[in-house]
Amino acid sequence: MDEQKEREQDLQAAISDNETAPVQEKGISRRQLLKTAGAAAIAGAGLMALKSGEWPFPARSADAAEETHGCCCNAKDYGAVGDGVTDDTAAIQSALDSCRMVYLPSGRYKTTATLYIPSNGGLVGEASSNWDFPTYGTWIVSSASIAIQVGSGTGFISAAVLDRLAVKRAGFTNGGAVTGTGILYYSAYYSSSRDLYVEGFGTGIQLGSDDTPHKGLGFTFVNTNIAGCDICIHARKAADVSFYGGRIGMNGNDTARGTGLKVTGMCDSISAYRLIIANNNGFSRCVQITDCTSIFWVSLLDCDLETATVAAFECDTNATFVRIDNSWVGSPSPFVVSAGGRIIFSRNTFANHDGKDSVIRLTGGSHIEINNNDFLTNPQKHIDIANASSVKIAGNNIIGGGTGIRIAPTSGASGGHIISNNEISGANDNGISIIANQGLSKVTIEGNHIVQFKNTGILIDGSGPAKCGYSVTGNVISTSNVSGVGRGISITNPAIDYYLITGNDTSSCPLPAINDAGGSHKVVANNLS
């Protein structure tokens, strides 16, 4: 028996072994479920199982489609060669049209037109590869403007699968120009992929299109690797999208590229878990949310954001419910928010910002939370708030730099900020600095521990509104640094009025007394100085 027949038998065995996986344990076989609920239900069950930590599909098949159409057909039985020279487009498309689920043995399949994936169908390779192993596995090398498209026209397709494939733009070399789209999910729902590698396109994977009549729904990607693309992942019209693992950006030699993950248009529930977004020669932006029609619920958990030159994260549109949690931010460029609301940065570690202007910069937006993060390097300002409103900064560990937290609005009404229970140490200027304008009101600074600063623990300056409504309570402020001012709390301008300073401990500062040069409407009492 030749090697190819052995592979096909192995594939059939893998499918058979998984025929009674998770749903069988619930008293119904996959075959029965398919007959009663259709292939879309199978794919939906797969999505939910994956979110619970289980992957219900074997590595080289999609058993939902197999239940309906029999074993994957081999593209070579339809005339595909896989030698990198012969045009295999017609053969692969014929296989897809005939039996839907198509197996592509290891090889390089040259294509010159778009491959269209039908419902309950897909392409399953021998193995995917990447920049390190360019001759291993199943490669589709395409010169088409769109290499692979899932769905077309006005109807939906469902339960499409792309597994263990590498998709490359024909003629691409590292650092070279890029065009076209690798994989377009045009009109699809409850579709999945595993072990994909996409290289050398203008857009690597695109979810939805401006001209599709439907929002794509229920995409699951496991171990997705994309390199050498100007936009690696672009979500434009999609919902319930999950990425689990992989790397976005070239690990080898390349030129600077545009964006790792871009979200625009109409999207909701876009999530990434343990995704590395890093390009050796830099992205402009690791994550960008922009041009919003309706965007909500975008989340990154346990991710790695590296090498951005403009912004590690940027939101300049009215997106809501955005969260980056428990991630490593090694990019020297900041998080930037100029619009949007209900944005949360929590439990992240920020590094590699020495000498930069800021780590997090808020020039707009509202109801933003920055909590329980570690800021480890030495920028001019760790957290810099301009015209945002209702920002809560709590429980952060802020080490070094010029100023720990700075609020300095430039226009309009802002305020409603809470700065509480932060550890701020080693600031080369001020721990917390408020430079008020006439629109900044209602700022609460409470329960912070500010140590080893050079000039002032808490500085409040500027013009301020007629009634500031500032509250500075319960902070412990100390420093042994005598190279600067060394004062615990300072209110420097009579225009700052209507404020409360109580219950603070500044006794361990070179200048322990509170400098109170503010207005006459105030309570300054019960401080230990």
Side-chain angles (χ1 to χ4, degrees):
M1 182 181 296
D2 62 29
E3 184 179 353
Q4 185 56 51
K5 291 295 185 182
E6 290 180 0
R7 287 197 187 105
E8 291 178 18
Q9 286 190 354
D10 289 345
L11 180 63
Q12 180 61 56
I15 293 170
S16 300
D17 289 344
N18 282 271
E19 199 164 46
T20 57
V23 294
Q24 178 67 37
E25 298 172 3
K26 299 177 183 178
I28 183 170
S29 73
R30 291 188 174 180
R31 191 178 302 277
Q32 291 170 321
L33 183 60
L34 181 66
K35 289 178 180 178
T36 57
I42 290 284
L47 176 65
M48 296 308 295
L50 181 60
K51 288 183 175 180
S52 68
E54 302 175 11
W55 175 251
F57 302 125
R60 290 189 291 177
S61 72
D63 51 359
E66 184 272 335
E67 293 284 359
T68 305
H69 306 294
C71 180
C72 306
C73 64
N74 191 324
K76 290 193 172 183
D77 292 338
Y78 288 77
V81 178
D83 62 359
V85 177
T86 305
D87 187 346
D88 290 322
T89 309
I92 297 172
Q93 190 63 58
S94 176
L96 285 166
D97 295 342
S98 297
C99 64
R100 298 180 182 267
M101 185 60 61
V102 175
Y103 171 53
L104 290 172
S106 181
R108 296 177 75 85
Y109 296 84
K110 175 183 175 181
T111 61
T112 56
T114 302
L115 297 174
Y116 290 93
I117 307 300
S119 278
N120 304 298
L123 296 171
V124 179
E126 182 74 13
S128 66
S129 190
N130 59 33
W131 51 83
D132 290 325
F133 304 99
T135 61
Y136 178 73
T138 300
W139 288 74
I140 294 174
V141 182
S142 177
S143 59
S145 59
I146 300 170
I148 298 173
Q149 182 167 318
V150 182
S152 61
T154 59
F156 265 128
I157 76 159
S158 64
V161 172
L162 298 172
D163 277 4
R164 301 172 67 84
L165 297 171
V167 183
K168 181 175 181 177
R169 180 70 176 174
F172 171 76
T173 57
N174 288 5
V178 292
T179 59
T181 300
I183 302 170
L184 170 60
Y185 287 82
Y186 182 79
S187 54
Y189 65 95
Y190 295 115
S191 297
S192 64
S193 79
R194 183 173 183 172
D195 299 332
L196 274 183
Y197 175 64
V198 183
E199 179 183 87
F201 295 89
T203 300
I205 294 176
Q206 181 173 316
L207 305 173
S209 177
D210 293 341
D211 61 349
T212 181
H214 310 288
K215 181 188 288 186
L217 176 67
F219 303 119
T220 301
F221 296 85
V222 176
N223 189 30
T224 304
N225 298 276
I226 304 174
C229 296
D230 193 52
I231 301 173
C232 291
I233 299 170
H234 190 176
R236 298 179 68 169
K237 204 170 185 180
D240 295 338
V241 179
S242 299
F243 288 89
Y244 296 87
R247 180 184 176 113
I248 307 305
M250 182 71 80
N251 192 37
N253 294 323
D254 194 22
T255 189
R257 299 295 180 186
T259 306
L261 170 61
K262 186 173 185 177
V263 183
T264 65
M266 297 176 60
C267 292
D268 64 88
S269 299
I270 310 294
S271 64
Y273 174 65
R274 290 191 176 178
L275 193 65
I276 299 171
I277 304 178
N279 191 55
N280 273 11
N281 291 81
F283 282 121
S284 293
R285 297 163 178 85
C286 290
V287 180
Q288 182 183 27
I289 302 175
T290 188
D291 296 332
C292 166
T293 302
S294 173
I295 296 175
F296 59 94
W297 288 117
V298 178
S299 63
L300 283 79
L301 174 64
D302 285 353
C303 291
D304 185 352
L305 308 183
E306 302 268 7
T307 70
T309 58
V310 175
F313 168 86
E314 182 179 65
C315 179
D316 63 6
T317 192
N318 288 319
T320 55
F321 298 104
V322 177
R323 185 181 187 106
I324 299 180
D325 193 358
N326 201 39
S327 294
W328 169 264
V329 185
S331 170
S333 295
F335 279 21
V336 179
V337 177
S338 57
R342 307 294 179 187
I343 297 172
I344 299 174
F345 305 135
S346 177
R347 303 187 301 161
N348 303 293
T349 300
F350 295 90
N352 300 323
H353 295 86
D354 285 354
K356 301 298 182 180
D357 180 75
S358 55
V359 179
I360 296 177
R361 184 186 310 146
L362 308 180
T363 61
S366 65
H367 298 92
I368 299 169
E369 292 187 27
I370 303 169
N371 61 67
N372 299 304
N373 302 282
D374 289 316
F375 297 82
L376 302 181
T377 48
N378 295 286
Q380 297 174 37
K381 303 172 287 289
H382 285 280
I383 300 172
D384 189 15
I385 302 172
N387 301 318
S389 61
S390 299
V391 178
K392 183 177 181 180
I393 305 170
N396 299 284
N397 181 29
I398 301 174
I399 300 172
T403 294
I405 300 168
R406 178 177 181 262
I407 301 175
T410 58
S411 64
S414 61
H417 304 311
I418 298 173
I419 303 172
S420 67
N421 299 308
N422 299 284
E423 293 282 338
I424 304 173
S425 63
N428 199 43
D429 191 1
N430 306 311
I432 297 172
S433 177
I434 310 295
I435 312 299
N437 70 351
Q438 294 186 358
L440 179 64
S441 63
K442 297 180 181 178
V443 177
T444 298
I445 304 172
E446 62 183 7
N448 300 283
H449 186 207
I450 306 171
V451 299
Q452 295 304 105
F453 53 90
K454 180 177 179 180
N455 288 323
T456 307
I458 299 174
L459 171 68
I460 300 178
D461 197 358
S463 56
K467 293 184 178 181
C468 293
Y470 301 157
S471 175
V472 181
T473 61
N475 301 282
V476 177
I477 305 169
S478 66
T479 185
S480 58
N481 190 334
V482 295
S483 63
V485 176
R487 187 177 295 278
I489 298 174
S490 182
I491 313 294
T492 63
N493 196 318
I496 305 297
D497 206 359
Y498 288 87
Y499 57 88
L500 173 71
I501 301 177
T502 62
N504 301 284
D505 181 356
T506 61
S507 61
S508 297
C509 296
L511 294 177
I514 294 172
N515 176 41
D516 180 17
S520 58
H521 303 88
K522 59 193 175 185
V523 175
V524 180
N526 299 323
N527 297 288
L528 183 61
S529 60

